[in-house]
Amino acid sequence: YPILLSVLSNQKSLNFKDSQFESLGSLSDHIAYQSSTSKASINFYDGQVKFNNEFITDQILPFEHPKHRKLNSNSSLAMWLNADFKADVKPLAKPPSIKQNFFKFYKGYLDIEWLKSTNKKDTIISFEFNENFEQVEKKQIVDRKIPELFINMDADAKPLVRYLTDSNLLDTQSNKISIMAIPLFQTYFQSDGNQIQLSSVNQAPFNTDRIASDDFFYLYADFNKLVKDSSFPLVASNLLTLKKLESKGRKTGAKKIKFETVIDFQNEKANALIQLVKMYQKLKSTPIQVNFGNAMPKN
């Protein structure tokens, strides 16, 4: 309240042109942010929001001439990344996790593709206690939506296979990834020596051909397809407002990169800001609980 009074009485105030925000005065963006290392803007239109962010970093190292696999145009979700990351030289405060160990084999390229989901009968194994307080196995046949999901990564394949095998995360006879690592559905592993693939499809085609791009990062999500393919109704219902998302990352200078993101909404006539507020209110009032317990698909 005292601060508001001082502002209203024009006390302790600066002329906008004499402040560090002068450069923002000429911008026409709805929301703008600028610092010595970053510049960002957000604009809200009917049925669409655009977000741009350009910043200086030495942690992300985009390739000078990015390339990526040609992904399917009918994908529900598609993403690629052609960049390295600056190694963290700080000692770990705790033992490294599986994820930390896995991505230390990463060699500058990763892509993810979700084509569709198919219904499949699966055996779910859970455990419960009988009247003698003994834990017994319970099997149940259920219909599940299994996504056609593909993850490709440039990697040191031989030491990665050794690590997965020694950690009991990979059965080299069946090429199955342990359900303890990925419990939602059965995942298969294959490699050509320099690139590895994780897929929900056994013996999936292994295409390593690349095409050139100006962008080192790309993300596309078709929310209509994702809602249709989702196995989590509560999550899907909260995505119904969105139509699609497209984001691109490009190197714009020395240690400088820029991300441009566009989100389209189902309702093309209502302002995107109002739709985001309503979506947030719905998410806040809808508890989303995912509890897998001891249930997991049978190998």
Side-chain angles (χ1 to χ4, degrees):
Y1 183 71
I3 296 176
L4 178 59
L5 286 179
S6 66
V7 171
L8 294 175
S9 60
N10 200 28
Q11 297 177 5
K12 299 180 181 179
S13 60
L14 292 174
N15 189 308
F16 187 82
K17 291 184 178 180
D18 298 329
S19 73
Q20 57 183 327
F21 303 106
E22 180 186 6
S23 60
L24 297 178
S26 60
L27 299 178
S28 60
D29 299 300
H30 298 155
I31 299 176
Y33 166 84
Q34 185 169 336
S35 70
S36 59
T37 59
S38 177
K39 181 172 63 176
S41 65
I42 305 177
N43 290 281
F44 302 96
Y45 308 98
D46 288 348
Q48 188 178 78
V49 58
K50 293 184 178 180
F51 172 71
N52 294 329
N53 185 19
E54 187 173 29
F55 56 94
I56 297 172
T57 178
D58 61 354
Q59 302 298 310
I60 304 174
L61 309 172
F63 278 42
E64 290 294 332
H65 304 288
K67 292 184 178 182
H68 65 91
R69 286 195 319 116
K70 186 175 181 180
L71 304 183
N72 195 305
S73 59
N74 293 319
S75 298
S76 303
L77 176 72
M79 186 278 285
W80 77 71
L81 173 68
N82 195 190
D84 276 324
F85 296 90
K86 186 176 180 181
D88 187 1
V89 297
K90 296 180 180 180
L92 293 171
K94 56 184 179 180
S97 66
I98 289 176
K99 183 173 69 173
Q100 288 173 319
N101 273 324
F102 184 82
F103 279 98
K104 76 179 182 181
F105 300 103
Y106 169 81
K107 292 297 180 182
Y109 179 81
L110 172 73
D111 70 52
I112 301 174
E113 186 173 27
W114 181 341
L115 287 180
K116 60 181 180 179
S117 292
T118 55
N119 291 322
K120 176 185 174 183
K121 291 190 179 297
D122 207 347
T123 302
I124 300 297
I125 300 176
S126 59
F127 297 90
E128 59 183 27
F129 290 96
N130 60 20
E131 58 185 11
N132 296 321
F133 298 100
E134 297 172 335
Q135 194 175 48
V136 293
E137 182 180 285
K138 181 181 179 182
K139 296 181 180 180
Q140 182 182 8
I141 304 296
V142 296
D143 287 322
R144 306 176 68 235
K145 284 188 174 181
I146 306 298
E148 287 191 16
L149 184 66
F150 305 88
I151 301 175
N152 294 272
M153 186 175 84
D154 286 356
D156 287 335
K158 288 184 178 180
L160 176 55
V161 170
R162 190 181 310 117
Y163 161 71
L164 293 174
T165 305
D166 292 345
S167 303
N168 294 319
L169 298 176
L170 172 65
D171 181 351
T172 55
Q173 299 298 318
S174 63
N175 291 324
K176 290 181 178 181
I177 293 291
S178 170
I179 55 176
M180 300 304 295
I182 305 178
L184 298 182
F185 47 83
Q186 183 60 66
T187 307
Y188 299 90
F189 176 94
Q190 59 177 328
S191 168
D192 71 346
N194 297 314
Q195 181 174 324
I196 63 102
Q197 182 185 82
L198 299 174
S199 173
S200 61
V201 179
N202 191 16
Q203 297 181 338
F206 199 4
N207 178 18
T208 60
D209 294 338
R210 306 280 174 91
I211 57 177
S213 175
D214 293 329
D215 306 312
F216 74 89
F217 171 81
Y218 179 80
L219 171 64
Y220 174 82
D222 185 323
F223 292 104
N224 288 327
K225 292 180 180 178
L226 287 174
V227 167
K228 181 180 178 182
D229 291 338
S230 176
S231 298
F232 306 104
L234 283 176
V235 176
S237 66
N238 284 289
L239 295 177
L240 288 173
T241 305
L242 304 177
K243 184 177 182 180
K244 66 178 181 179
L245 177 150
E246 188 172 34
S247 182
K248 300 178 180 179
R250 180 176 299 185
K251 182 177 180 180
T252 56
K255 298 183 180 180
K256 184 182 289 186
I257 59 178
K258 183 177 183 179
F259 286 92
E260 298 178 333
T261 303
V262 178
I263 302 176
D264 290 326
F265 291 78
Q266 300 287 356
N267 188 345
E268 299 178 354
K269 297 181 179 180
N271 186 272
L273 179 58
I274 300 300
Q275 296 193 63
L276 279 174
V277 170
K278 290 183 176 179
M279 184 177 176
Y280 169 75
Q281 291 173 337
K282 183 179 179 182
L283 283 169
K284 190 176 180 181
S285 62
T286 305
I288 299 178
Q289 297 180 350
V290 179
N291 181 16
F292 298 108
N294 291 319
M296 58 184 63
K298 182 180 179 182
N299 261 326

